[in-house]
């Protein structure tokens, strides 16, 4: 039986829903990952552009330094690759497995921030991270 969020269609993975007697595929798992990433990118770009114009950030574009620009471009490339992998994973596996694994990216981010950026984390923070990882693994097992 599908989880409530899957039944609501937020991340539905089933190939045949109750209204799909013909077996038509719907949702991100039925769309080519490259096309899905392009569509999602257009929506994100429109929203980001709208927000930049709304708050007036476009006036500070010339103040973006070369180092920041390189960092932002690399971050964008990582996001693009992540989205491609995410949609491909949704094609190959159930959302109930793909989504929790995707959320483990929090762990990767924390490790990166500690090792590369030398950020400090408290024991309480680490305990919370441990709970997050344990909960995710429990969902998969």
């Amino acid at each position: 039986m599908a989880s409530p969020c899957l039944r609501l269609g937020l991340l539905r993975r089933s190939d045949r829903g109750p209204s799909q007697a013909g077996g038509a595929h719907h949702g991100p798992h039925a769309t080519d990952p490259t096309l899905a990433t392009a569509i999602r990118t257009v929506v994100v770009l429109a929203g980001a552009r709208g927000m930049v114009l709304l708050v007036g950030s476009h006036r500070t574009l010339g103040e973006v330094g070369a180092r920041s620009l390189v960092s932002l471009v690399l971050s964008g490339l990582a996001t693009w690759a992540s989205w491609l992998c995410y949609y491909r994973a949704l094609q190959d596996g159930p959302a109930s497995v793909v989504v929790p694994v995707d959320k483990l990216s929090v762990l990767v981010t924390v490790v990166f921030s500690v090792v590369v950026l030398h950020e400090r984390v408290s024991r309480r923070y680490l305990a919370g991270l441990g709970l997050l990882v344990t909960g995710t693994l429990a969902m998969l097992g």
Side-chain angles (χ1 to χ4, degrees):
M1 176 162 228
S3 70
C5 68
L6 293 177
R7 276 187 265 127
L8 289 172
L10 295 176
L11 289 170
R12 200 169 93 223
R13 169 64 184 134
S14 65
D15 290 340
R16 285 179 178 229
S19 63
Q20 300 169 323
H25 295 261
H26 297 282
H29 67 280
T31 305
D32 173 73
T34 307
L35 179 60
T37 300
I39 292 169
R40 184 176 177 182
T41 301
V42 168
V43 172
V44 169
L45 181 61
R49 183 172 184 200
M51 189 55 105
V52 163
L53 293 174
L54 180 70
V55 301
S57 297
H58 60 285
R59 292 186 205 92
T60 63
L61 182 60
E63 298 172 21
V64 177
R67 189 173 179 163
S68 291
L69 187 59
V70 167
S71 176
L72 290 168
V73 167
L74 291 175
S75 174
L77 290 172
T79 299
W80 167 75
S82 170
W83 288 358
L84 280 177
C85 292
Y86 182 77
Y87 283 115
R88 176 60 193 205
L90 282 175
Q91 284 184 328
D92 293 342
S96 60
V97 172
V98 172
V99 173
V101 169
D102 177 62
K103 297 310 169 198
L104 283 176
S105 64
V106 172
L107 176 62
V108 174
T109 302
V110 171
V111 169
F112 178 84
S113 69
V114 170
V115 173
V116 176
L117 303 175
H118 306 290
E119 293 182 2
R120 298 179 58 95
V121 293
S122 67
R123 288 183 184 188
R124 181 177 176 184
Y125 186 91
L126 289 174
L129 182 63
L131 289 171
L132 182 136
V133 171
T134 302
T136 300
L137 294 175
M139 291 174 68
L140 299 176

